[in-house]
Amino acid sequence: MVRQYTNYWCVPAATQSMVNLVRGTSNRTYVTQKYYYKLTRQHNRYTYATKGNDPQGWEWSLDHFMRGDANYTARAFTDKTKAINAIADALRRTRHPVGVTVRGGTHAWVVLGYRMSQNLEDPDKRTLLGLYVSGPLGTSADRWPYRYLTVSQFRDVFTRYHEWQKRVIWEGKWVVISE
């Protein structure tokens, strides 16, 4: 897992962590994160006055830097429960990390795993209990290096995307970047 080197490089740091996990590498360098930021910014869907990135740029960077080892897509959900279930489903299907926007779309996290309960009487009936997440700020408040959150705790942070500068296609939706 990689910490972000600036207060606005959460997407490049999350990308760097996800690339490391999928490709089996351990690159944590400033130079790589700076390069990820530059290319992600160039592939954002919109131009912003602030220095952040958006889900389209994040999706592009993951696909580009995975070099064929994964195929990520930014998806926006109108239903929070469906979005959370899609995160767990992607983790189960691919065994690859999932990116999510948190805190109104102002920050990026990596979801690393999940915990489920299984009904002993009906093995096909399972319940999602929680998710293992990592925030790149490198603080205990940002779930560094990773922390388990119950679904209820995750729901508190996983909020609708909001962009104050302009109308965007993700507005008011829950954003998941997964395979």
Side-chain angles (χ1 to χ4, degrees):
M1 300 310 295
V2 181
R3 292 181 179 178
Q4 63 189 73
Y5 284 99
T6 73
N7 64 347
Y8 55 91
W9 283 3
C10 58
V11 168
T15 300
Q16 198 172 11
S17 292
M18 292 168 80
V19 169
N20 281 341
L21 290 166
V22 171
R23 301 200 74 225
T25 57
S26 58
N27 185 313
R28 295 180 178 94
T29 67
Y30 174 91
V31 171
T32 297
Q33 199 171 115
K34 182 178 180 181
Y35 182 61
Y36 282 13
Y37 172 74
K38 177 184 172 190
L39 290 185
T40 302
R41 186 98 172 142
Q42 289 173 359
H43 290 87
N44 280 344
R45 182 177 183 105
Y46 303 99
T47 302
Y48 303 97
T50 57
K51 297 178 179 180
N53 289 295
D54 67 26
Q56 180 174 299
W58 193 2
E59 170 192 324
W60 181 90
S61 285
L62 285 168
D63 286 344
H64 179 75
F65 294 111
M66 294 288 183
R67 297 188 182 109
D69 289 337
N71 184 22
Y72 279 85
T73 301
R75 297 184 293 162
F77 293 83
T78 57
D79 181 285
K80 187 185 252 188
T81 300
K82 287 182 181 175
I84 293 170
N85 288 335
I87 293 165
D89 180 59
L91 290 164
R92 180 192 54 75
R93 274 186 302 98
T94 68
R95 300 195 180 276
H96 288 168
V98 172
V100 294
T101 61
V102 296
R103 299 185 190 126
T106 63
H107 194 42
W109 275 6
V110 178
V111 183
L112 304 161
Y114 62 92
R115 192 181 296 169
M116 289 253 189
S117 71
Q118 190 165 353
N119 185 321
L120 296 176
E121 295 172 11
D122 183 358
D124 292 331
K125 192 172 189 179
R126 295 184 278 168
T127 304
L128 181 63
L129 301 174
L131 301 161
Y132 291 90
V133 300
S134 179
L137 277 173
T139 65
S140 60
D142 202 43
R143 309 333 196 233
W144 176 261
Y146 70 90
R147 189 163 300 150
Y148 175 77
L149 298 180
T150 65
V151 171
S152 176
Q153 291 170 320
F154 182 76
R155 289 177 74 85
D156 288 342
V157 182
F158 185 49
T159 56
R160 294 176 191 262
Y161 196 94
H162 173 66
E163 177 54 57
W164 61 270
Q165 297 178 54
K166 60 181 73 190
R167 289 191 56 80
V168 298
I169 62 172
W170 311 284
E171 184 65 36
K173 298 176 182 169
W174 291 272
V175 178
V176 175
I177 295 90
S178 66
E179 292 183 88

